[in-house]
């Protein structure tokens, strides 16, 4: 299953994309320059910086070609060449950004990530930096036939739903679910987010519920715990909060989040395996809060 390609302004984005080397396994635009946020006028969206992420199979070759095409986009690092830029790209979240780049009358920034690092983040939430963006609506501009990448994109969405189910009460609204998912890349449980981050999450979700529905409808329709009434724009969920149900969900979480939960619960010096610890967490009345702490840690 490929991520749904969201229409509108496609020509504008394709023209921008034409400025770059085309060897891309995935390219997407995200953020307030693409999707309206609550409280922002339509004109504001037209002047906001446009944000892009480009996934590339061979970062050294891609940067080499981009330096020939767009040398001015790079900082002083261009002096060190594509190998050094690709080495720096591997640090932190595995993404290298060129920012404040004028292109076709707009200001843009674009991040370059290796396909391998992206797949790792999508499956395991190693940093959740790019995976977190792909849990929210984005505009897919290019996507090749890499089956492992496609599987990772779907896995990331399923993991977001699973984590949200663990942190939500037994029944909740569709908007609650999307709030929870959108909050994952901030600090975990949406109900625990305060201040500016909370309003950011609300501003992302409220005007874009239809886009969230498009992204998650297939996964929710296949989920036995959810009755998804798409024609009414509503879901009715009855999440299994028994220890057995929660254990199944905990075992389905991405590896990095499981490890963080394990580190929280397992006292130093005790050498218990992950499965044993997650079974203990599944029996904890505060299971959802433990997942939130793991996500925040």
């Amino acid at each position: 299953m490929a991520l749904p390609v969201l229409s509108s302004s496609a020509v504008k984005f394709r023209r921008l994309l034409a400025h770059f080397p085309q060897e891309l396994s995935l390219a997407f635009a995200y953020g307030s320059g693409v999707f309206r946020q609550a409280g922002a006028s339509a004109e504001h969206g037209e002047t906001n910086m446009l944000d892009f992420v480009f996934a590339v199979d061979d970062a050294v070759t891609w940067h080499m070609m981009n330096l020939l095409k767009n040398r001015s986009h790079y900082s002083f690092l261009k002096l060190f060449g594509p190998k050094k830029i690709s080495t720096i790209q591997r640090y932190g979240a595995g993404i290298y950004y060129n920012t404040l780049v004028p292109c076709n009358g707009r200001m843009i920034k674009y991040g370059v990530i290796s396909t391998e690092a992206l797949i790792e983040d999508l499956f395991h939430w190693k940093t959740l930096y790019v995976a977190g963006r792909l849990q929210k609506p984005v505009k897919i501009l290019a996507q090749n036939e890499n089956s492992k990448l496609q599987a990772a994109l779907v896995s990331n969405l399923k993991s977001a739903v699973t984590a949200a189910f663990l942190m939500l009460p037994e029944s909740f609204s569709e908007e609650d679910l999307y709030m929870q998912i959108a909050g994952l890349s901030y600090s975990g449980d949406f109900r625990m987010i305060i201040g500016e981050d909370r309003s950011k999450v609300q501003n992302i979700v409220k005007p874009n519920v239809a886009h969230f529905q498009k992204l998650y409808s297939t996964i929710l329709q296949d989920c036995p715990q959810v009755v998804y009434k798409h024609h009414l724009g509503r879901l009715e969920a009855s999440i299994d909060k028994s220890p057995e149900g929660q254990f199944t969900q905990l075992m389905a979480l991405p590896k990095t989040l499981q490890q963080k939960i394990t580190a929280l619960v397992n006292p130093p010096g005790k050498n218990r395996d992950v499965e044993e610890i997650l079974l203990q967490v599944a029996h904890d009345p505060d299971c959802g809060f433990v997942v939130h702490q793991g996500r925040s840690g």
Side-chain angles (χ1 to χ4, degrees):
M1 171 188 136
L3 291 194
V5 178
L6 301 168
S7 57
S8 91
S9 322
V11 175
K12 172 179 73 176
F13 288 110
R14 285 206 189 96
R15 281 183 187 145
L16 283 163
L17 205 59
H19 287 264
F20 298 95
Q22 294 304 292
E23 289 69 14
L24 302 167
S25 59
L26 182 73
F28 66 89
Y30 66 94
S32 57
V34 184
F35 296 99
R36 198 171 70 78
Q37 296 196 357
S41 64
E43 295 78 32
H44 186 59
E46 285 301 312
T47 56
N48 275 8
M49 187 185 294
L50 288 172
D51 299 304
F52 298 92
V53 168
F54 302 147
V56 301
D57 289 344
D58 181 343
V60 176
T61 301
W62 196 89
H63 283 298
M64 181 179 72
M65 292 163 69
N66 199 41
L67 280 162
L68 291 171
K69 237 176 151 80
N70 298 305
R71 192 171 177 82
S72 64
H73 293 185
Y74 290 81
S75 69
F76 68 92
L77 288 171
K78 59 178 167 271
L79 303 173
F80 297 100
K83 277 191 179 174
K84 184 67 175 174
I85 291 166
S86 301
T87 302
I88 289 164
Q89 181 181 304
R90 289 199 290 270
Y91 290 105
I95 189 162
Y96 174 89
Y97 269 100
N98 282 328
T99 188
L100 295 173
V101 173
C103 190
N104 277 19
R106 291 293 295 269
M107 200 62 81
I108 72 167
K109 82 167 189 259
Y110 61 93
V112 183
I113 186 169
S114 76
T115 308
E116 187 184 358
L118 174 58
I119 288 170
E120 173 83 3
D121 197 34
L122 290 166
F123 273 129
H124 303 307
W125 290 6
K126 193 174 176 186
T127 68
L128 203 62
Y129 186 81
V130 181
R133 277 163 174 67
L134 284 161
Q135 289 163 1
K136 297 182 272 289
V138 301
K139 189 181 286 290
I140 301 288
L141 308 173
Q143 185 177 350
N144 71 10
E145 293 302 307
N146 182 329
S147 58
K148 190 172 182 186
L149 175 57
Q150 290 191 11
L153 288 162
V154 176
S155 173
N156 180 46
L157 298 180
K158 287 181 175 174
S159 296
V161 170
T162 301
F165 281 176
L166 280 160
M167 292 189 285
L168 284 161
E170 198 170 344
S171 57
F172 48 84
S173 72
E174 185 170 15
E175 195 173 285
D176 290 339
L177 174 65
Y178 300 144
M179 292 279 201
Q180 192 67 262
I181 288 169
L184 282 171
S185 50
Y186 287 90
S187 60
D189 190 339
F190 176 72
R191 291 163 301 165
M192 315 248 176
I193 300 172
I194 55 166
E196 190 185 341
D197 277 354
R198 187 181 181 91
S199 57
K200 264 189 204 170
V201 173
Q202 287 172 324
N203 291 347
I204 289 165
V205 173
K206 284 185 183 294
N208 294 301
V209 167
H211 291 314
F212 275 93
Q213 285 174 333
K214 191 167 186 178
L215 197 53
Y216 286 98
S217 62
T218 304
I219 287 165
L220 293 173
Q221 281 162 5
D222 292 343
C223 179
Q225 296 175 315
V226 171
V227 179
Y228 192 60
K229 300 186 175 177
H230 193 67
H231 60 292
L232 299 174
R234 192 173 82 233
L235 60 80
E236 289 177 5
S238 181
I239 303 305
D240 184 358
K241 291 290 178 182
S242 71
E244 295 76 20
Q246 294 192 139
F247 179 63
T248 302
Q249 290 170 349
L250 288 164
M251 289 298 288
L253 289 174
K255 185 173 69 178
T256 304
L257 181 50
Q258 287 182 342
Q259 288 166 346
K260 286 181 174 179
I261 292 167
T262 301
L264 275 172
V265 176
N266 199 28
K270 282 235 177 183
N271 194 18
R272 297 186 296 160
D273 64 31
V274 171
E275 197 168 324
E276 188 186 341
I277 292 159
L278 294 181
L279 187 59
Q280 177 192 325
V281 174
H283 282 80
D284 189 329
D286 292 324
C287 173
F289 182 65
V290 176
V291 174
H292 156 65
Q293 284 183 305
R295 189 41 232 116
S296 308

